[in-house]
């Protein structure tokens, strides 16, 4: 299993955001590049069936965890690009609650191979 720690995504990545397309494109590219860089540095093995388990540590006491999965799409794309595979078969597991608050916020992504236990 490999663990990546990403910075909290820009609010420009939220589906509720009403920003100019160029600002959203910059935020997307930044988050994707960060995930790609961390995955490459961790030497993540190519696994088109990888299980990505997310933990969200918000920068403050937020209440709406449902926005985060969509905001993580760029990071998922960056990980897939670093692996050299398509992310269409990834199994992404998103939490239904935030973890404890951390200064500046963090997204922890555990990347593991599919096993009998997590095949559901």
């Amino acid at each position: 299993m490999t663990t990546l720690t990403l910075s909290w995504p820009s609010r420009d990545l939220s589906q509720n955001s009403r920003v100019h397309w160029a600002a959203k494109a910059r935020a997307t590219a930044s988050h994707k590049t960060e995930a790609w860089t961390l995955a490459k540095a961790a030497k993540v093995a190519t696994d088109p069936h990888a299980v990505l388990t997310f933990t969200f540590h918000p920068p403050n006491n937020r209440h709406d965890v449902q926005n985060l999965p969509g905001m993580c799409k760029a990071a998922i794309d960056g990980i897939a690009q670093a692996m050299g595979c398509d992310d269409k078969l990834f199994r992404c597991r998103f939490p239904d609650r935030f973890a404890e608050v951390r200064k500046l916020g963090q997204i922890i992504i555990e990347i593991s191979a599919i096993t009998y236990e997590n095949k559901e």
Side-chain angles (χ1 to χ4, degrees):
M1 178 172 38
T2 304
T3 302
L4 306 178
T5 303
L6 280 74
S7 60
W8 194 253
S10 166
R11 68 181 58 186
D12 293 346
L13 294 177
S14 172
Q15 297 90 327
N16 298 326
S17 164
R18 301 291 177 250
V19 297
H20 190 272
W21 64 266
K24 186 166 187 152
R26 278 190 299 277
T28 300
S30 175
H31 209 56
K32 181 177 180 178
T33 300
E34 179 185 9
W36 179 87
T37 302
L38 292 171
K40 278 294 200 183
K43 296 180 171 52
V44 176
T46 300
D47 182 0
H49 298 279
V51 177
L52 278 60
T53 304
F54 290 78
T55 304
F56 302 135
H57 294 279
N60 53 36
N61 287 319
R62 295 173 184 255
H63 301 289
D64 194 4
V65 74
Q66 289 78 21
N67 285 332
L68 269 293
M71 294 174 76
C72 291
K73 176 62 176 141
I76 295 166
D77 289 343
I79 293 167
Q81 186 177 27
M83 284 183 174
C85 65
D86 194 334
D87 64 357
K88 68 182 177 185
L89 297 177
F90 283 1
R91 292 180 183 255
C92 296
R93 304 237 165 118
F94 297 106
D96 60 355
R97 290 181 176 78
F98 284 122
E100 72 274 358
V101 171
R102 290 190 181 168
K103 187 176 181 176
L104 302 179
Q106 292 179 328
I107 294 180
I108 309 296
I109 305 173
E110 293 177 350
I111 304 168
S112 58
I114 195 163
T115 63
Y116 180 74
E117 292 84 33
N118 59 18
K119 215 172 199 178
E120 54 187 270

